Amino acid sequence: MRYVVCDRVGLSRLPEGPIASYIVLFAHSLESQGYSVQSLRHQLRIVAGFSRWLAQTGVELHRVCSEHASQYLRYRARRVQACRGDSAALQHLLDFLRDSGVVPAQRPATRRSTAAELYAQAYRQYLREVRGLAESTIAYYSTFATDFLQDRFGDGRANLSRLRASDVIGIVQRKAQRLNFRRAKLLTTALRSFLRYARYRGDMVRDLADVVPVVANWSMPSIPRAIAPDQIRQLLSSIDRRTGMGLRDYAILLLLARLGLRSGEVVSLELADIDWSSARLTVRGKCGQRSELPLHADVGKAIAAYLRHGRPHSACRRVFLRSKAPITGFRGACGVCSVVRHALLRAGIDAPTTGAHQFRHGLAADMLRHGASLNEIGES
């Protein structure tokens, strides 16, 4: 006898075990996130089997945790061939049960932090509370600081008074060889900041920030490399706007090319940020700053087309949503960079880079060609 879980999916038998009464609610939760019928069927089969296994092993519902999921997957793999998505299905279930308050949130495994990690934590707090830097900058700087400390001191005590100029120069030379120019320059900037912090704390007498080498820039032009106007036109014309994803990608690329938005600004854009009556766009920039920009007619038309004909139904207030389940906003700026990279690849365009920032550089270069000053560009 077939047991109907929701309108589109059923199970071959009545669910059993401690999770049985939550399977219908779980199915509705997956539906609301935009999962396909095929994915729903697979996830519900895994969950139903997990529930039966919990009953057989005597595990009570309030004790269910990630370890039980791992044990079940090992048990199942001995009987049937494992499929891609088995582990994700149980993770989705555990997240649902925890969000519903059915099972307690799992405590993260505790691990004693190394001296390098503790020092980097204090550095992060300094950057946040004293320097007031953006979280993205703090993350970059503290990661480089942790790597530097572990490279020099390992898991031992971080005794910065023992640092010498040769240590600093040697580490930069080794690491910079494996990085592109932008990341290498960021490394040296972060390292100077960290060494100044160490001296500020009194852990160093000598100011070693001055000995951090300058990254050679022989191959780079004085103005950042930018995507050319004809490449932008070719890229936009290559987008298939007959699909929802095409409408989304076209609107995103126009925002990058016409307004010079950063990828993070595109990601954080919300429906309430668009003032259609006055054709204005509110953008969340670095350090949480908000600014208003004119909404050009072609950009507004592209966003409206996506909202009307391409955007999936979702409670999420972000303008641009993922095309695959779970249907929600992009997790970070890398989502927009992925849109750019795949669009360039599909169009067969050999752009200067595969990132989103080249459009901002392209807009700046275009403004320079039309007589704008560097100060005017910096303020835009």
Side-chain angles (χ1 to χ4, degrees):
M1 180 179 177
R2 183 176 172 80
Y3 176 78
V4 177
V5 179
C6 58
D7 293 340
R8 300 186 295 167
V9 179
L11 294 171
S12 59
R13 57 189 287 190
L14 189 70
E16 304 169 13
I19 299 173
S21 59
Y22 293 95
I23 285 182
V24 172
L25 293 175
F26 177 60
H28 289 319
S29 172
L30 293 178
E31 275 192 307
S32 69
Q33 296 177 67
Y35 284 96
S36 66
V37 173
Q38 183 179 0
S39 179
L40 277 170
R41 288 196 186 107
H42 178 71
Q43 294 196 59
L44 293 178
R45 280 198 301 268
I46 295 294
V47 168
F50 181 49
S51 185
R52 286 193 299 272
W53 178 83
L54 290 172
Q56 293 166 7
T57 52
V59 178
E60 298 176 354
L61 179 59
H62 68 280
R63 296 185 181 279
V64 175
C65 65
S66 299
E67 180 57 30
H68 293 124
S70 300
Q71 291 174 12
Y72 171 68
L73 290 175
R74 290 194 292 270
Y75 162 84
R76 189 174 187 275
R78 292 194 295 268
R79 286 156 178 79
V80 297
Q81 184 176 358
C83 296
R84 182 180 179 184
D86 290 357
S87 178
L90 293 186
Q91 186 59 56
H92 294 159
L93 172 70
L94 291 173
D95 291 341
F96 167 76
L97 294 175
R98 287 166 184 155
D99 292 342
S100 302
V102 178
V103 299
Q106 188 171 8
R107 295 178 181 177
T110 57
R111 181 182 68 85
R112 185 185 294 271
S113 299
T114 65
E117 291 169 339
L118 291 174
Y119 206 106
Q121 288 173 14
Y123 176 52
R124 274 197 297 273
Q125 185 175 359
Y126 163 79
L127 294 176
R128 184 176 295 112
E129 297 178 2
V130 179
R131 297 287 309 282
L133 300 185
E135 287 300 321
S136 58
T137 305
I138 293 172
Y140 275 126
Y141 281 23
S142 60
T143 298
F144 281 129
T146 304
D147 290 345
F148 171 75
L149 290 169
Q150 289 179 337
D151 186 288
R152 181 61 183 81
F153 302 107
D155 293 335
R157 178 170 171 260
N159 186 358
L160 275 82
S161 64
R162 293 166 47 196
L163 276 180
R164 299 292 179 265
S166 57
D167 298 325
V168 175
I169 295 170
I171 287 174
V172 171
Q173 288 176 337
R174 289 199 309 276
K175 290 186 175 295
Q177 291 176 354
R178 300 192 297 269
L179 302 173
N180 60 35
F181 169 73
R182 180 174 175 272
R183 293 281 293 177
K185 190 172 182 180
L186 184 58
L187 162 66
T188 56
T189 303
L191 189 52
R192 290 188 192 98
S193 169
F194 173 71
L195 292 172
R196 292 189 186 104
Y197 165 72
R199 192 162 183 251
Y200 161 82
R201 275 182 41 147
D203 296 333
M204 293 168 47
V205 176
R206 184 181 174 187
D207 185 5
L208 291 180
D210 290 338
V211 307
V212 176
V214 176
V215 178
N217 189 19
W218 309 112
S219 64
M220 301 293 290
S222 58
I223 298 176
R225 292 183 297 172
I227 186 169
D230 60 331
Q231 290 179 317
I232 294 176
R233 287 190 291 270
Q234 180 185 347
L235 181 63
L236 292 172
S237 64
S238 71
I239 303 296
D240 182 4
R241 285 181 277 167
R242 294 171 298 180
T243 67
M245 188 170 71
L247 289 170
R248 182 201 66 184
D249 293 354
Y250 183 77
I252 288 175
L253 292 169
L254 269 183
L255 281 169
L256 296 173
R258 298 280 280 119
L259 298 183
L261 296 192
R262 299 177 177 89
S263 53
E265 294 169 343
V266 174
V267 168
S268 62
L269 196 63
E270 297 188 354
L271 297 172
D273 294 331
I274 306 174
D275 187 343
W276 296 102
S277 59
S278 62
R280 306 290 294 178
L281 196 67
T282 300
V283 175
R284 296 171 180 82
K286 290 185 175 180
C287 303
Q289 295 177 341
R290 298 172 70 93
S291 57
E292 281 196 353
L293 297 174
L295 184 62
H296 299 311
D298 56 345
V299 180
K301 184 178 178 181
I303 295 175
Y306 168 65
L307 295 179
R308 287 173 180 161
H309 308 297
R311 187 177 185 271
H313 295 290
S314 173
C316 180
R317 303 303 294 169
R318 294 277 182 86
V319 172
F320 299 108
L321 304 180
R322 287 161 44 95
S323 59
K324 296 181 180 179
I327 303 299
T328 184
F330 292 113
R331 292 190 178 95
C334 58
V336 170
C337 294
S338 178
V339 167
V340 173
R341 184 171 62 254
H342 286 99
L344 290 169
L345 184 63
R346 285 193 299 268
I349 296 174
D350 184 19
T353 73
T354 58
H357 214 67
Q358 62 183 314
F359 293 93
R360 189 172 176 86
H361 294 329
L363 184 61
D366 189 56
M367 292 172 68
L368 275 176
R369 283 192 294 269
H370 287 83
S373 68
L374 291 175
N375 287 336
E376 289 172 332
I377 293 171
E379 293 171 358
S380 63

